[in-house]
């Protein structure tokens, strides 16, 4: 295992002991990133519960835009495979989804299953021109869909196309839309479902936030931004925002878990920190944090359960070798702390 | 009057959910000092951070506020709390009655879910003042929230009942409003985005969402009643209600029963 403590290369045991000492001395540690396989995310929640840490994720902005709207108005969603197989109308909302492979596949194909099988597929777009006007474009589109506005505008055409579809899919990036935009979009989808089938499909970043949402739900009953400072899991999206906690000086130690590739957060150098990063990644260098431990990359150099974007499910991805696992490192840190306390 | 005096800046966020005049009145000095208020494994209690002086009455003064004091006056049913200084998030969350005054600034979500009583913030309020917290049904729900300075973005987001009175507010004031009234000297862009019902009375505003349509100028009895009810809280806001107003109806993306009254 490759590991560094304060810039000096060390063995696994030394780095784990140093990490345990750092976390044991902290009063309000934060765990950020959580961009890893399910076993590592579970180990992170266990360790956080033991030491009273709080957790936050890599893609929290998008995750909470979706979750906030879900909690308020619900959601009607589909999977990428269903969209490719059944959609005869796809509506691309905003600029970001244009870069996704799914949108390219939708443009290049036709529905092959269901009521629209064999029909041509229309791929429409709205709000890609300006992020500024995106939520109000969506509001306008919904007003046309409801029939509250009527004229010859292109948005009215899009609204009519959604109603005329056998199976419509609305693709969006939650971080680009924000909670207000996602709620407006889910409202539009719900309105169209009074007449025909229509679904939303959230295209997030490639991080493991979807996996974290599930692990967090079955572990704590809550969404990811949960703190264990008072022993019981408390969910508070504002209070446990890692960036806010660090900039307000509330956190006194950080553990950044990212065994999958992700950019190092800027604030990591601002407080005593541990980085658990994928071996061979650009972040697996001594300068990333006070303590750096390189672990196997799930799905590449180690096996692991990851969120499968295409199937919209948690699936096992085999890895090449027996690299040290992030889950094992976190469990050993927990053992170390427990041993010292007893 | 009971007094809590802050000894020094708190080392972590403190939770004041259980610190109300009625709770303190039933406790001895020692019991009150042992009330847990910490939020980390330090396990801080009231006596660690505050000098406690009790008199068993129904009014409480917190001398020396701090932006880390969360949920001050939360679930207050009766009595008075006055904070000399700042407070953190969720001031007066779920409050049902009584009076809550902050001489400094408040953090986000002030007055969220408050069903009764009056909350006054003499300084500025953070984002989502009178707005709903994650997964909550509604924001302000019947209480009166007065912000004498500037409120942040999403003022009164998903509010359901009650009155919000502010000098200035940021973007998206009254977003997703279910019902209720907001009176503001000025607000930023997109007021009332996604509102279903409710009334916004605005001295001036930024860009309007195109899903609001102007419905002309009206002389309605309702406006005179609104002006009269605002008069006792803020003559300046009453003046806006009594002056010439343009009415916009929206948000057309929803059931469109909301209205914006903007000074003409």
């Amino acid at each position: 295992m490759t590991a560094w403590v304060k810039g000096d290369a060390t063995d696994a045991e030394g780095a784990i002991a140093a990490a345990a000492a750092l976390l044991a001395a902290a009063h309000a540690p934060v765990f950020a990133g959580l961009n890893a396989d399910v076993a590592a995310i579970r180990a992170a929640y266990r360790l956080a519960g033991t030491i009273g840490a709080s957790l936050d994720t890599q893609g929290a902005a998008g995750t909470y835009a979706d979750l906030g709207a879900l909690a308020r108005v619900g959601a009607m969603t589909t999977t990428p495979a269903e969209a490719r197989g059944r959609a005869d109308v796809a509506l691309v909302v905003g600029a970001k989804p244009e870069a996704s492979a799914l949108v390219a596949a939708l443009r290049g194909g036709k529905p092959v299953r269901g009521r629209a099988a064999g029909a041509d597929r229309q791929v429409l777009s709205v709000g890609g021109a300006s992020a500024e006007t995106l939520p109000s474009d969506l509001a306008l589109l919904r007003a046309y869909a409801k029939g509250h506005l009527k004229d010859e505008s292109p948005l009215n055409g899009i609204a009519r196309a959604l109603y005329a579809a056998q199976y419509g899919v609305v693709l969006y990036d939650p971080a680009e839309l924000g909670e207000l935009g996602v709620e407006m979009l889910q409202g539009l989808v719900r309105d169209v479902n009074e007449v025909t089938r229509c679904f939303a499909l959230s295209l997030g970043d490639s991080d493991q936030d979807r996996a974290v949402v599930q692990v967090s739900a079955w572990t704590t009953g809550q969404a990811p931004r949960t703190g264990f400072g008072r022993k019981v899991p408390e969910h508070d999206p504002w209070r446990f925002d890692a960036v806010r906690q660090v900039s307000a000086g509330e956190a006194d130690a950080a553990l950044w878990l990212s065994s999958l590739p992700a950019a190092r957060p800027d604030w990591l150098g601002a407080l005593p920190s541990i980085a658990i990063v994928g071996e061979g990644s650009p972040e697996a260098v001594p300068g990333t944090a006070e303590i750096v431990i390189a672990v196997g990359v799930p799905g590449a150099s180690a096996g692991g359960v990851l969120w499968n974007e295409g199937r919209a499910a948690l699936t096992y991805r085999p890895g090449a070798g027996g690299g040290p696992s992030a889950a094992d490192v976190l469990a050993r840190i927990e053992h170390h702390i427990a041993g010292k306390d007893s | 009057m009971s007094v809590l005096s802050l000894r020094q800046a708190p080392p972590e966020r403190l939770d004041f959910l259980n610190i109300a005049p009625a709770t303190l009145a039933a406790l001895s000095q020692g019991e009150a000092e042992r009330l847990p208020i910490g939020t980390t494994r330090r396990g801080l209690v009231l006596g660690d951070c505050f000098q406690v002086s009790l008199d068993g009455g129904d009014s409480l003064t917190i001398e020396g506020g701090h932006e880390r004091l969360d949920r001050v006056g939360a679930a207050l049913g009766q009595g008075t709390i006055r904070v000399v200084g700042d407070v953190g998030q969720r001031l007066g969350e779920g409050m049902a009655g009584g009076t809550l005054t902050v001489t400094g600034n408040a953090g986000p979500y002030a007055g969220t879910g408050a069903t009764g009583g009056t909350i006054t913030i003499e300084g500025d309020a953070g984002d989502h003042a009178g707005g709903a917290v994650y997964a909550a049904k509604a924001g302000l729900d019947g209480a009166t929230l007065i912000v004498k300075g500037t409120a942040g973005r999403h003022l009164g987001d998903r509010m359901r009942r009650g009155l919000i009175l502010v000098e200035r507010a940021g973007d998206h004031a009254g977003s997703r409003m279910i019902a209720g009234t907001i009176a503001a000297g000025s607000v930023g862009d997109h007021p009332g985005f996604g509102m279903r019902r409710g009334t916004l009375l605005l001295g001036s505003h930024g860009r309007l969402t195109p899903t609001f349509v102007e419905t002309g100028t009206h002389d309605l009895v309702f406006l005179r009643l609104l002006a009269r009810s605002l008069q006792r809280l803020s003559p300046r806001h009453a003046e806006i209600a009594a002056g010439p107003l343009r009415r916009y109806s929206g948000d057309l993306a929803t059931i469109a029963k909301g209205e914006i009254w903007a000074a003409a």
Side-chain angles (χ1 to χ4, degrees):
Chain A
M1 190 190 296
T2 325
W4 295 272
V5 174
K6 293 190 173 147
D8 299 326
T10 176
D11 63 347
E13 204 45 48
I16 286 166
L22 190 152
L23 289 176
H27 289 107
V30 291
F31 292 2
L34 303 188
N35 196 18
D37 60 312
V38 165
I41 299 166
R42 289 181 65 188
Y45 272 87
R46 261 200 305 272
L47 177 59
T50 309
I51 66 169
S54 66
L55 302 111
D56 194 4
T57 62
Q58 194 77 21
T63 300
Y64 272 95
D66 266 345
L67 287 177
L70 175 71
R72 161 107 168 102
V73 295
M76 305 190 80
T77 60
T78 187
T79 64
E82 284 284 273
R84 269 199 304 272
R86 294 181 191 270
D88 56 345
V89 171
L91 174 61
V92 182
V93 177
K96 273 199 174 168
E98 291 289 353
S100 89
L102 177 63
V103 171
L106 287 174
R107 283 191 203 283
K110 282 182 176 187
V112 292
R113 292 197 296 279
R115 293 191 297 171
D120 280 334
R121 178 179 289 146
Q122 247 184 307
V123 180
L124 308 162
S125 56
V126 62
S130 147
E132 181 102 330
T133 60
L134 183 51
S136 35
D137 283 349
L138 268 178
L140 264 179
L141 178 59
R142 193 174 171 205
Y144 281 114
K146 272 191 170 311
H148 288 165
L149 286 175
K150 275 186 187 132
D151 58 36
E152 293 309 304
S153 100
L155 285 172
N156 196 14
I158 292 174
R160 301 278 75 82
L162 285 175
Y163 276 109
Q166 300 278 1
Y167 192 111
V169 173
V170 186
L171 303 111
Y172 68 100
D173 179 289
E176 186 183 19
L177 239 57
E179 187 186 326
L180 284 181
V182 175
E183 185 177 321
M184 191 58 86
L185 183 145
Q186 292 290 1
L188 168 72
V189 167
R190 203 181 46 197
D191 291 346
V192 176
N193 266 285
E194 302 275 337
V195 174
T196 183
R197 305 181 82 190
C198 186
F199 301 96
L201 179 49
S202 170
L203 301 172
D205 291 327
S206 54
D207 47 51
Q208 288 298 308
D209 266 49
R210 296 294 188 93
V212 181
V213 168
Q214 310 219 12
V215 174
S216 176
W218 82 55
T219 308
T220 70
Q222 313 272 16
R225 276 183 179 165
T226 298
F228 291 90
R230 286 189 275 197
K231 308 266 195 247
V232 294
E234 289 179 86
H235 177 239
D236 189 331
W238 180 81
R239 207 169 105 206
F240 300 124
D241 175 347
V243 178
R244 190 202 64 78
Q245 285 196 76
V246 172
S247 66
E250 287 164 23
D252 51 3
L255 183 148
W256 182 55
L257 170 61
S258 188
S259 42
L260 288 160
R264 168 187 184 272
D266 302 334
W267 50 260
L268 207 57
L271 69 174
S273 56
I274 304 157
I276 298 179
V277 295
E279 56 194 1
S281 80
E283 315 298 344
V285 289
T288 298
E290 200 174 305
I291 298 164
V292 182
I293 302 173
V295 295
V297 181
S301 61
V305 175
L306 295 173
W307 178 255
N308 184 326
E309 199 67 53
R311 285 177 50 192
L314 294 170
T315 56
Y316 180 78
R317 300 283 179 90
S325 84
D328 183 45
V329 169
L330 288 164
R332 284 163 72 186
I333 293 174
E334 191 187 339
H335 276 295
H336 242 277
I337 294 173
K340 265 185 195 155
D341 284 349
S342 61
Chain B
M1 184 178 68
S2 303
V3 181
L4 304 176
S5 310
L6 186 67
R7 294 182 204 272
Q8 64 209 20
E12 63 186 50
R13 299 204 80 81
L14 303 177
D15 186 351
F16 266 58
L17 174 63
N18 297 318
I19 313 297
T23 322
L24 293 178
L27 300 177
S28 71
Q29 177 83 15
E31 285 167 337
E33 285 177 350
R34 287 194 299 276
L35 282 173
I37 56 168
T39 55
T40 73
R41 60 178 171 170
R42 273 192 197 95
L44 290 179
V45 294
L46 189 59
D48 291 336
C49 308
F50 290 86
Q51 216 160 15
V52 181
S53 135
L54 301 178
D55 75 345
D58 72 346
S59 78
L60 169 69
T61 298
I62 300 173
E63 287 282 353
H66 195 276
E67 57 92 12
R68 286 184 177 171
L69 307 191
D70 291 343
R71 299 210 277 189
V72 174
L76 184 69
Q78 55 183 1
T80 305
I81 297 181
R82 181 179 164 81
V83 184
V84 182
D86 300 342
V87 294
Q89 70 159 339
R90 305 192 188 194
L91 171 73
E93 175 181 16
M95 168 174 160
T99 311
L100 185 51
T101 307
V102 173
T103 65
N105 302 329
Y109 301 105
T112 182
T115 55
T118 304
I119 303 171
T120 308
I121 299 165
E122 291 178 359
D124 299 338
D127 292 343
H128 299 271
V133 296
Y134 175 87
K137 267 188 177 166
L140 195 78
D141 197 5
T144 301
L145 173 65
I146 300 167
V147 182
K148 298 204 170 151
T150 304
R153 294 174 302 147
H154 300 281
L155 173 74
D157 175 45
R158 274 195 260 161
M159 78 179 274
R160 179 159 170 264
R161 231 182 337 216
L163 172 67
I164 299 182
L165 231 122
V166 303
E167 194 47 49
R168 288 168 302 275
D171 295 345
H172 291 116
S175 56
R176 309 185 284 187
M177 251 171 107
I178 301 164
T181 306
I182 296 179
S186 70
V187 298
D189 292 342
H190 305 301
F193 185 88
M195 77 191 287
R196 295 166 65 79
R197 288 174 231 92
T199 301
L200 294 176
L201 174 73
L202 309 176
S204 69
H205 57 80
R207 249 174 318 157
L208 272 187
T209 310
T211 44
F212 279 82
V213 284
E214 192 171 346
T215 58
T217 52
H218 304 253
D219 181 24
L220 301 182
V221 176
F222 161 73
L223 286 174
R224 290 200 284 277
L225 292 173
L226 180 64
R228 198 188 300 165
S229 72
L230 291 176
Q231 185 68 40
R232 75 197 155 85
L233 296 170
S234 162
R236 169 169 145 58
H237 289 83
E239 240 169 69
I240 301 174
L245 293 166
R246 256 196 309 270
R247 182 178 183 275
Y248 298 87
S249 175
D251 185 333
L252 293 182
T254 69
I255 57 174
K257 291 186 177 172
E259 56 182 1
I260 294 179
W261 291 97

